[in-house]
Amino acid sequence: VYPQVKWLSERGIKTDVIIGGRSKEFVILEDEMKKLGANVYPCTDDGSYGFNGRVTDKIKDLVDNGNNYDEVIAIGPMIMMKFVCSLTKELGISTIVSLNTLMVDGTGMCGACRVTVGNETKFACVDGPEFDGHLVDFDEAMKRQAIYKTEEGQKLAKAEKDHTCTCKKNI
Ligand code: FES
């Protein structure tokens, strides 16, 4: 998120930055964001620092208090991005997500970052990592992410990689 905020600030575009964490020690880059001129809203799940709640609660709070947004950029855990997108869809705010969290080798070969976006198969490392969050199938992506953490999942990844290579040869 930091480079995005920097880029926007340098062009005079105002930003509100919500940084969420389980507790205070997980809230990072607050000072750096402030130095860029952003309004920063730290949030913690346990209320140990800043707003007591999740980032989605803070988005709702800001909107309920009369703030209007042209765009939301959500970067972080898949579950957070999923819920941000479901909220911003409801609020009618276009949302970009960055799916680099799915990447393993980052070369387009392992298949780990395969994701369905608007009914099309995409690879985060080749076609992204940024996508229209309202079109991403988060449930499928999270299921795949969980599979890849197991030994069986890694075997599946290898099998998919071999299949990918075979397909490429055939083309
Ligand atoms: Fe392996 Fe994208 S990270 S294919």
Side-chain angles (χ1 to χ4, degrees), residues 5-22:
V5 175
K6 188 168 186 288
W7 189 93
L8 292 165
S9 301
E10 284 167 359
R11 283 152 185 83
I13 300 164
K14 283 172 59 182
T15 53
D16 284 356
V17 178
I18 303 170
I19 307 172
R22 235 181 5 243

Side-chain angles (χ1 to χ4, degrees), residues 102-114 123-126:
L102 292 177
M103 291 184 209
V104 176
D105 70 351
T107 66
M109 294 301 289
C110 74
C113 70
R114 198 174 72 198
F123 289 84
C125 68
V126 175

Side-chain angles (χ1 to χ4, degrees), residues 2-170:
Y2 179 82
Q4 310 256 18
V5 175
K6 188 168 186 288
W7 189 93
L8 292 165
S9 301
E10 284 167 359
R11 283 152 185 83
I13 300 164
K14 283 172 59 182
T15 53
D16 284 356
V17 178
I18 303 170
I19 307 172
R22 235 181 5 243
S23 54
K24 190 177 184 210
E25 64 267 31
F26 295 103
V27 174
I28 60 165
L29 293 172
E30 188 181 352
D31 292 340
E32 289 83 348
M33 295 291 193
K34 280 183 182 161
K35 276 185 202 149
L36 296 176
N39 298 314
V40 182
Y41 301 96
C43 307
T44 50
D45 298 351
D46 64 3
S48 55
Y49 186 57
F51 179 83
N52 184 359
R54 301 215 163 94
V55 297
T56 41
D57 301 323
K58 190 62 200 173
I59 293 173
K60 210 169 172 314
D61 177 63
L62 288 165
V63 170
D64 286 348
N65 281 294
N67 293 284
N68 291 306
Y69 298 101
D70 298 311
E71 184 102 43
V72 166
I73 300 167
I75 305 180
M78 293 294 283
I79 190 76
M80 179 276 279
M81 294 190 283
K82 174 189 164 164
F83 284 110
V84 166
C85 288
S86 120
L87 173 65
T88 56
K89 203 171 188 175
E90 204 181 297
L91 296 170
I93 310 169
S94 82
T95 301
I96 292 170
V97 292
S98 184
L99 301 185
N100 40 15
T101 183
L102 292 177
M103 291 184 209
V104 176
D105 70 351
T107 66
M109 294 301 289
C110 74
C113 70
R114 198 174 72 198
V115 61
T116 304
V117 182
N119 294 322
E120 282 180 47
T121 299
K122 300 280 182 188
F123 289 84
C125 68
V126 175
D127 306 304
E130 294 180 347
F131 296 101
D132 179 340
H134 294 166
L135 299 180
V136 172
D137 186 336
F138 283 101
D139 292 333
E140 178 201 63
M142 284 189 292
K143 245 183 247 163
R144 286 178 56 77
Q145 201 178 29
I147 287 171
Y148 275 73
K149 284 182 184 154
T150 64
E151 197 178 323
E152 277 182 350
Q154 280 159 15
K155 282 184 190 156
L156 174 69
K158 190 179 174 318
E160 282 187 355
K161 178 185 168 189
D162 294 344
H163 176 69
T164 307
C165 294
T166 309
C167 291
K168 279 185 181 162
K169 272 183 213 155
N170 290 343

